[in-house]
Amino acid sequence: MNITMLGAGYVGLVSGTCFSEFGFNVCCVDKDQEKILSLNSNIVPIYEPGLESLIQKNKVSGRLTFSDDIDGNIKKADVIFIAVGTPTRRGDGHADLTYVFEAAEQIAKKMDGYTLVVTKSTVPVGTGLEVKEIIKKVNPNADFDVVSNPEFLREGNAIQDFMRPDRVVVGYESEKAKKIISALYKPLYLIETPILFTDLKTAELIKYSANAFLAVKISYINQMADLCEKVGADVHDVAKGIGLDKRIGNKFLHPGPGYGGSCFPKDTLALVKTANDNNSNISIVDTVVQYNAQRKSDMARKILNELGNDFKNKKVSILGLSFKPETDDMREAPSIPLINSLIEAGAEVNAYDPQAIEEAKFYLKGLDVKYFDNKYNALENADALILVTEWKEFRSPDFKRILKLMNTNVFIDGRNQFNYDQMKEQGFNYSQIGVK
Ligand SMILES: NC(=O)c1ccc[n+]([C@@H]2O[C@H](COP(=O)([O-])OP(=O)(O)OC[C@H]3O[C@@H](n4cnc5c(N)ncnc54)[C@H](O)[C@@H]3O)[C@@H](O)[C@H]2O)c1
């Protein structure tokens, strides 16, 4: 079976590589020629643990190729995955489906023989049927089926998530399509992965519903953290106390500076728009969208307050820039509004991240941020240290060395990585989220 992955971004690259690891012939195509050029020169454009070696292994086996010949690879494909971006549409917050519809047209024009067209991108309910209509309109004789197969991988853990997912969701219309998609995921049947077969619209909605639920959970614990600070309670114990209840579960109960990344912000917003269009009450998610945006600016303000609001000639060192650890993705990272606010307030910002510095330079373009290739260098003469992203390498630094390097002992931990009392004992003026 020949698979063509349309879009070699996070999702296309990881899924394509993993399908080739399952034993299929996969060609990842992308209209970004530079991306294809670098993949063909053994340079992986994103940082994702384990991805580089898995790509290399499958390239050598001949099962995984990269190409900018989109038409040629549509033609020879038995299965085409649409894995293009669905960003927020400018101006109204809906998911922008331009790339998905362009892809559908391209497929329609070049497909040859029966082809299964699978949407992996996160798309609003009804998009699969629109893709079907586009293909039929452009190529009335096309022999094809459409399937919705939303992707749930998390950046930073993407390969493991693809190879050992909690579940696979498949929306389908014909038995033939079901049979083909079942064959693609056969390796997962062997490890007893639940595969949920449903209709197209339901599959599309499951993806948004899952992301929105997780965003609600994060925002809930963030609000609890705020309340804990006000009443003098400890949010860690609140999270533990509720998380032990199996109906609640202990995941996604870590307070922080608000969720970011390429998915939650845009997907929650798009879900609200879909519900509004259908006159359906979605006030819970609507509130979360607004609260999370507010939280990011509140966090910046809170940090400025803690630092005394006087930033003239003050040096603030930021550890961690990516929206979460183990990825270099800076999309919607909480570090962006924070650094903007610090610089606006007159501070000098030093920054270090194990992987995201190049991406950060793009997302913080025009801001006078000094980047360092080592966490200790970034801390020299700092008047405050702010931990923004909880990379593993920040878990047990040399605290004595840090105190010697810094001008002060001010440490604001935006991810609650350390024990409050121990940090005080070490000599830090240490503060956390949700602990007074
Ligand atoms: N990143 C994640 O963690 C994640 C997880 C689950 C689902 N998703 C969803 O998957 C989709 C893709 O996300 P991503 O993060 O991989 O996006 P991305 O921006 O990293 O990659 C998209 C790629 O598609 C390419 N592209 C666009 N139009 C094309 C076309 N017509 N032909 C060929 N290539 C084309 C772009 O050049 C780009 O390289 C989105 O809908 C997203 O919401 C993302």
Side-chain angles (χ1 to χ4, degrees), residues 89-130:
R89 192 163 71 192
R90 271 180 174 217
D92 66 5
H94 278 281
D96 183 348
L97 295 174
T98 310
Y99 303 115
V100 173
F101 293 155
E102 264 174 25
E105 276 191 36
Q106 268 173 308
I107 293 169
K109 283 182 193 150
K110 298 295 168 189
M111 66 203 289
D112 189 10
Y114 177 83
T115 310
L116 187 64
V117 180
V118 186
T119 310
K120 235 192 192 324
S121 299
T122 302
V123 292
V125 63
T127 306
L129 294 176
E130 286 188 70

Tab-separated table of all heavy atoms in Angstrom, residues 89-130:
chain	number	residue	atom	x	y	z
A	89	ARG	N	-8.504	31.383	11.599
A	89	ARG	CA	-8.722	32.306	10.477
A	89	ARG	C	-8.671	33.740	10.999
A	89	ARG	O	-9.286	34.044	12.031
A	89	ARG	CB	-10.100	32.024	9.862
A	89	ARG	CG	-10.314	32.697	8.538
A	89	ARG	CD	-11.473	32.070	7.807
A	89	ARG	NE	-12.765	32.379	8.422
A	89	ARG	CZ	-13.900	31.746	8.101
A	89	ARG	NH1	-13.899	30.777	7.222
A	89	ARG	NH2	-15.033	32.070	8.700
A	90	ARG	N	-7.944	34.574	10.296
A	90	ARG	CA	-7.815	35.970	10.716
A	90	ARG	C	-9.170	36.632	10.822
A	90	ARG	O	-10.011	36.482	9.959
A	90	ARG	CB	-6.974	36.747	9.721
A	90	ARG	CG	-5.520	36.675	10.062
A	90	ARG	CD	-4.700	37.439	9.076
A	90	ARG	NE	-3.327	37.437	9.538
A	90	ARG	CZ	-2.525	38.452	9.400
A	90	ARG	NH1	-2.951	39.539	8.827
A	90	ARG	NH2	-1.293	38.361	9.830
A	91	GLY	N	-9.363	37.333	11.896
A	91	GLY	CA	-10.559	38.172	11.989
A	91	GLY	C	-11.737	37.550	12.699
A	91	GLY	O	-12.456	38.240	13.395
A	92	ASP	N	-11.947	36.213	12.538
A	92	ASP	CA	-13.177	35.692	13.163
A	92	ASP	C	-12.972	34.473	14.060
A	92	ASP	O	-13.911	34.036	14.714
A	92	ASP	CB	-14.239	35.394	12.092
A	92	ASP	CG	-13.833	34.252	11.167
A	92	ASP	OD1	-12.782	33.629	11.412
A	92	ASP	OD2	-14.569	33.986	10.207
A	93	GLY	N	-11.781	33.917	14.113
A	93	GLY	CA	-11.526	32.831	15.060
A	93	GLY	C	-11.894	31.431	14.575
A	93	GLY	O	-11.571	30.439	15.220
A	94	HIS	N	-12.579	31.337	13.420
A	94	HIS	CA	-12.886	30.013	12.869
A	94	HIS	C	-11.596	29.320	12.441
A	94	HIS	O	-10.577	29.980	12.220
A	94	HIS	CB	-13.777	30.151	11.628
A	94	HIS	CG	-15.219	30.320	11.953
A	94	HIS	ND1	-16.021	29.270	12.295
A	94	HIS	CD2	-16.018	31.417	11.989
A	94	HIS	CE1	-17.247	29.713	12.531
A	94	HIS	NE2	-17.269	31.006	12.358
A	95	ALA	N	-11.658	27.999	12.271
A	95	ALA	CA	-10.490	27.301	11.713
A	95	ALA	C	-10.387	27.693	10.242
A	95	ALA	O	-11.383	27.667	9.513
A	95	ALA	CB	-10.674	25.798	11.857
A	96	ASP	N	-9.172	28.041	9.822
A	96	ASP	CA	-8.942	28.408	8.424
A	96	ASP	C	-8.730	27.118	7.624
A	96	ASP	O	-7.731	26.411	7.822
A	96	ASP	CB	-7.708	29.310	8.348
A	96	ASP	CG	-7.447	29.805	6.939
A	96	ASP	OD1	-8.080	29.279	5.995
A	96	ASP	OD2	-6.613	30.710	6.786
A	97	LEU	N	-9.671	26.843	6.726
A	97	LEU	CA	-9.615	25.567	5.996
A	97	LEU	C	-9.029	25.714	4.592
A	97	LEU	O	-9.106	24.782	3.781
A	97	LEU	CB	-11.024	24.958	5.931
A	97	LEU	CG	-11.563	24.566	7.314
A	97	LEU	CD1	-13.013	24.110	7.227
A	97	LEU	CD2	-10.709	23.464	7.933
A	98	THR	N	-8.405	26.863	4.349
A	98	THR	CA	-7.842	27.107	3.015
A	98	THR	C	-6.927	25.972	2.568
A	98	THR	O	-7.038	25.462	1.449
A	98	THR	CB	-7.020	28.430	3.037
A	98	THR	OG1	-7.825	29.427	3.622
A	98	THR	CG2	-6.580	28.835	1.650
A	99	TYR	N	-6.009	25.579	3.476
A	99	TYR	CA	-5.024	24.554	3.075
A	99	TYR	C	-5.683	23.192	2.851
A	99	TYR	O	-5.302	22.437	1.967
A	99	TYR	CB	-3.920	24.410	4.135
A	99	TYR	CG	-3.198	25.699	4.428
A	99	TYR	CD1	-3.282	26.306	5.675
A	99	TYR	CD2	-2.445	26.322	3.432
A	99	TYR	CE1	-2.625	27.508	5.929
A	99	TYR	CE2	-1.795	27.524	3.680
A	99	TYR	CZ	-1.893	28.110	4.942
A	99	TYR	OH	-1.256	29.291	5.181
A	100	VAL	N	-6.697	22.895	3.664
A	100	VAL	CA	-7.392	21.601	3.527
A	100	VAL	C	-8.132	21.555	2.193
A	100	VAL	O	-8.042	20.568	1.450
A	100	VAL	CB	-8.388	21.392	4.699
A	100	VAL	CG1	-9.231	20.143	4.484
A	100	VAL	CG2	-7.643	21.302	6.023
A	101	PHE	N	-8.813	22.636	1.862
A	101	PHE	CA	-9.590	22.647	0.622
A	101	PHE	C	-8.674	22.673	-0.602
A	101	PHE	O	-8.974	22.050	-1.627
A	101	PHE	CB	-10.580	23.820	0.616
A	101	PHE	CG	-11.673	23.681	1.667
A	101	PHE	CD1	-12.333	24.790	2.169
A	101	PHE	CD2	-12.040	22.427	2.150
A	101	PHE	CE1	-13.335	24.655	3.132
A	101	PHE	CE2	-13.037	22.276	3.115
A	101	PHE	CZ	-13.677	23.396	3.607
A	102	GLU	N	-7.555	23.389	-0.476
A	102	GLU	CA	-6.567	23.380	-1.571
A	102	GLU	C	-6.068	21.954	-1.799
A	102	GLU	O	-5.951	21.489	-2.933
A	102	GLU	CB	-5.352	24.234	-1.185
A	102	GLU	CG	-5.387	25.652	-1.705
A	102	GLU	CD	-4.231	26.469	-1.152
A	102	GLU	OE1	-3.164	25.891	-0.784
A	102	GLU	OE2	-4.405	27.678	-1.073
A	103	ALA	N	-5.792	21.288	-0.679
A	103	ALA	CA	-5.302	19.909	-0.763
A	103	ALA	C	-6.346	19.018	-1.433
A	103	ALA	O	-6.015	18.189	-2.301
A	103	ALA	CB	-4.978	19.387	0.637
A	104	ALA	N	-7.624	19.219	-1.070
A	104	ALA	CA	-8.699	18.396	-1.657
A	104	ALA	C	-8.749	18.602	-3.177
A	104	ALA	O	-8.906	17.641	-3.944
A	104	ALA	CB	-10.040	18.767	-1.016
A	105	GLU	N	-8.593	19.841	-3.603
A	105	GLU	CA	-8.615	20.125	-5.061
A	105	GLU	C	-7.438	19.468	-5.763
A	105	GLU	O	-7.584	18.877	-6.834
A	105	GLU	CB	-8.575	21.632	-5.302
A	105	GLU	CG	-9.943	22.253	-5.225
A	105	GLU	CD	-9.973	23.687	-5.724
A	105	GLU	OE1	-9.255	24.012	-6.685
A	105	GLU	OE2	-10.718	24.486	-5.113
A	106	GLN	N	-6.271	19.607	-5.114
A	106	GLN	CA	-5.062	19.000	-5.709
A	106	GLN	C	-5.252	17.492	-5.861
A	106	GLN	O	-4.916	16.904	-6.879
A	106	GLN	CB	-3.860	19.242	-4.786
A	106	GLN	CG	-3.069	20.476	-5.096
A	106	GLN	CD	-2.018	20.708	-4.022
A	106	GLN	OE1	-2.324	20.722	-2.829
A	106	GLN	NE2	-0.777	20.882	-4.439
A	107	ILE	N	-5.799	16.883	-4.818
A	107	ILE	CA	-6.023	15.436	-4.840
A	107	ILE	C	-6.988	15.081	-5.975
A	107	ILE	O	-6.740	14.176	-6.781
A	107	ILE	CB	-6.572	14.946	-3.468
A	107	ILE	CG1	-5.512	15.115	-2.376
A	107	ILE	CG2	-7.027	13.491	-3.550
A	107	ILE	CD1	-6.028	14.911	-0.954
A	108	ALA	N	-8.085	15.832	-6.035
A	108	ALA	CA	-9.122	15.546	-7.042
A	108	ALA	C	-8.549	15.573	-8.451
A	108	ALA	O	-8.881	14.733	-9.294
A	108	ALA	CB	-10.255	16.559	-6.908
A	109	LYS	N	-7.672	16.542	-8.692
A	109	LYS	CA	-7.143	16.707	-10.055
A	109	LYS	C	-6.207	15.581	-10.454
A	109	LYS	O	-6.111	15.232	-11.621
A	109	LYS	CB	-6.391	18.037	-10.148
A	109	LYS	CG	-7.320	19.228	-10.253
A	109	LYS	CD	-6.507	20.508	-10.400
A	109	LYS	CE	-7.387	21.715	-10.184
A	109	LYS	NZ	-6.663	22.852	-9.630
A	110	LYS	N	-5.491	15.015	-9.504
A	110	LYS	CA	-4.409	14.088	-9.869
A	110	LYS	C	-4.627	12.640	-9.455
A	110	LYS	O	-3.841	11.768	-9.808
A	110	LYS	CB	-3.072	14.581	-9.271
A	110	LYS	CG	-2.647	15.932	-9.791
A	110	LYS	CD	-2.334	15.877	-11.288
A	110	LYS	CE	-2.194	17.278	-11.873
A	110	LYS	NZ	-2.108	17.298	-13.319
A	111	MET	N	-5.646	12.366	-8.651
A	111	MET	CA	-5.802	10.989	-8.156
A	111	MET	C	-6.049	10.034	-9.324
A	111	MET	O	-6.659	10.383	-10.327
A	111	MET	CB	-6.927	10.907	-7.117
A	111	MET	CG	-8.300	11.185	-7.647
A	111	MET	SD	-9.409	11.704	-6.323
A	111	MET	CE	-9.611	10.211	-5.466
A	112	ASP	N	-5.552	8.810	-9.131
A	112	ASP	CA	-5.590	7.856	-10.235
A	112	ASP	C	-6.059	6.501	-9.682
A	112	ASP	O	-5.349	5.874	-8.901
A	112	ASP	CB	-4.154	7.758	-10.807
A	112	ASP	CG	-4.123	6.960	-12.087
A	112	ASP	OD1	-5.203	6.655	-12.620
A	112	ASP	OD2	-3.009	6.637	-12.533
A	113	GLY	N	-7.246	6.067	-10.056
A	113	GLY	CA	-7.783	4.819	-9.506
A	113	GLY	C	-8.336	5.054	-8.114
A	113	GLY	O	-8.263	6.175	-7.584
A	114	TYR	N	-8.903	3.986	-7.509
A	114	TYR	CA	-9.524	4.150	-6.184
A	114	TYR	C	-8.501	4.698	-5.178
A	114	TYR	O	-7.392	4.191	-5.043
A	114	TYR	CB	-10.071	2.816	-5.661
A	114	TYR	CG	-10.650	2.964	-4.268
A	114	TYR	CD1	-11.953	3.438	-4.080
A	114	TYR	CD2	-9.877	2.673	-3.140
A	114	TYR	CE1	-12.482	3.612	-2.800
A	114	TYR	CE2	-10.397	2.843	-1.859
A	114	TYR	CZ	-11.698	3.313	-1.700
A	114	TYR	OH	-12.211	3.483	-0.447
A	115	THR	N	-8.905	5.750	-4.471
A	115	THR	CA	-8.007	6.384	-3.496
A	115	THR	C	-8.780	6.654	-2.210
A	115	THR	O	-9.927	7.119	-2.259
A	115	THR	CB	-7.479	7.734	-4.054
A	115	THR	OG1	-6.971	7.515	-5.373
A	115	THR	CG2	-6.379	8.306	-3.177
A	116	LEU	N	-8.128	6.365	-1.101
A	116	LEU	CA	-8.738	6.698	0.190
A	116	LEU	C	-8.155	8.031	0.660
A	116	LEU	O	-6.937	8.165	0.795
A	116	LEU	CB	-8.447	5.594	1.216
A	116	LEU	CG	-9.180	5.744	2.550
A	116	LEU	CD1	-10.691	5.632	2.355
A	116	LEU	CD2	-8.698	4.691	3.551
A	117	VAL	N	-9.030	8.995	0.890
A	117	VAL	CA	-8.578	10.327	1.310
A	117	VAL	C	-8.896	10.486	2.803
A	117	VAL	O	-10.061	10.471	3.210
A	117	VAL	CB	-9.286	11.430	0.489
A	117	VAL	CG1	-8.808	12.811	0.935
A	117	VAL	CG2	-9.035	11.219	-1.006
A	118	VAL	N	-7.846	10.589	3.590
A	118	VAL	CA	-8.007	10.589	5.045
A	118	VAL	C	-7.629	11.958	5.612
A	118	VAL	O	-6.510	12.424	5.394
A	118	VAL	CB	-7.087	9.521	5.692
A	118	VAL	CG1	-7.368	9.408	7.189
A	118	VAL	CG2	-7.234	8.176	5.003
A	119	THR	N	-8.538	12.574	6.346
A	119	THR	CA	-8.199	13.862	6.968
A	119	THR	C	-7.599	13.615	8.343
A	119	THR	O	-8.261	13.076	9.232
A	119	THR	CB	-9.448	14.753	7.115
A	119	THR	OG1	-10.109	14.775	5.855
A	119	THR	CG2	-9.064	16.157	7.509
A	120	LYS	N	-6.328	14.005	8.490
A	120	LYS	CA	-5.663	13.889	9.786
A	120	LYS	C	-5.621	15.240	10.490
A	120	LYS	O	-5.537	15.329	11.705
A	120	LYS	CB	-4.237	13.349	9.607
A	120	LYS	CG	-4.087	12.129	10.474
A	120	LYS	CD	-2.762	11.594	10.690
A	120	LYS	CE	-2.859	10.227	11.330
A	120	LYS	NZ	-3.944	10.034	12.297
A	121	SER	N	-5.681	16.296	9.676
A	121	SER	CA	-5.711	17.644	10.262
A	121	SER	C	-6.925	17.756	11.174
A	121	SER	O	-7.923	17.057	10.984
A	121	SER	CB	-5.857	18.692	9.154
A	121	SER	OG	-4.780	18.632	8.273
A	122	THR	N	-6.843	18.652	12.144
A	122	THR	CA	-7.986	18.908	13.017
A	122	THR	C	-8.932	19.851	12.283
A	122	THR	O	-8.570	20.993	11.990
A	122	THR	CB	-7.497	19.560	14.329
A	122	THR	OG1	-6.552	18.671	14.936
A	122	THR	CG2	-8.641	19.834	15.277
A	123	VAL	N	-10.118	19.345	11.963
A	123	VAL	CA	-11.038	20.151	11.144
A	123	VAL	C	-12.438	20.189	11.763
A	123	VAL	O	-12.894	19.209	12.353
A	123	VAL	CB	-11.136	19.607	9.702
A	123	VAL	CG1	-9.831	19.810	8.958
A	123	VAL	CG2	-11.547	18.136	9.681
A	124	PRO	N	-13.134	21.308	11.621
A	124	PRO	CA	-14.476	21.432	12.194
A	124	PRO	C	-15.463	20.424	11.609
A	124	PRO	O	-15.289	19.961	10.470
A	124	PRO	CB	-14.895	22.854	11.824
A	124	PRO	CG	-13.640	23.564	11.500
A	124	PRO	CD	-12.690	22.537	10.985
A	125	VAL	N	-16.456	20.132	12.414
A	125	VAL	CA	-17.460	19.147	12.039
A	125	VAL	C	-18.085	19.533	10.682
A	125	VAL	O	-18.421	20.681	10.447
A	125	VAL	CB	-18.498	19.017	13.185
A	125	VAL	CG1	-19.243	20.292	13.416
A	125	VAL	CG2	-19.420	17.853	12.999
A	126	GLY	N	-18.126	18.570	9.784
A	126	GLY	CA	-18.692	18.808	8.453
A	126	GLY	C	-17.633	18.956	7.378
A	126	GLY	O	-17.943	18.897	6.179
A	127	THR	N	-16.356	19.115	7.789
A	127	THR	CA	-15.302	19.355	6.790
A	127	THR	C	-15.096	18.136	5.888
A	127	THR	O	-14.876	18.272	4.680
A	127	THR	CB	-13.981	19.742	7.483
A	127	THR	OG1	-14.218	20.848	8.349
A	127	THR	CG2	-12.901	20.106	6.480
A	128	GLY	N	-15.171	16.934	6.455
A	128	GLY	CA	-14.972	15.714	5.663
A	128	GLY	C	-15.970	15.662	4.514
A	128	GLY	O	-15.617	15.317	3.371
A	129	LEU	N	-17.206	16.038	4.808
A	129	LEU	CA	-18.233	16.025	3.753
A	129	LEU	C	-17.948	17.108	2.708
A	129	LEU	O	-18.176	16.899	1.516
A	129	LEU	CB	-19.628	16.231	4.373
A	129	LEU	CG	-20.086	15.082	5.282
A	129	LEU	CD1	-21.429	15.403	5.945
A	129	LEU	CD2	-20.184	13.759	4.495
A	130	GLU	N	-17.387	18.237	3.174
A	130	GLU	CA	-17.026	19.300	2.212
A	130	GLU	C	-15.874	18.841	1.321
A	130	GLU	O	-15.864	19.112	0.121
A	130	GLU	CB	-16.625	20.575	2.957
A	130	GLU	CG	-17.806	21.313	3.559
A	130	GLU	CD	-17.407	22.661	4.126
A	130	GLU	OE1	-17.089	23.572	3.348
A	130	GLU	OE2	-17.398	22.795	5.373
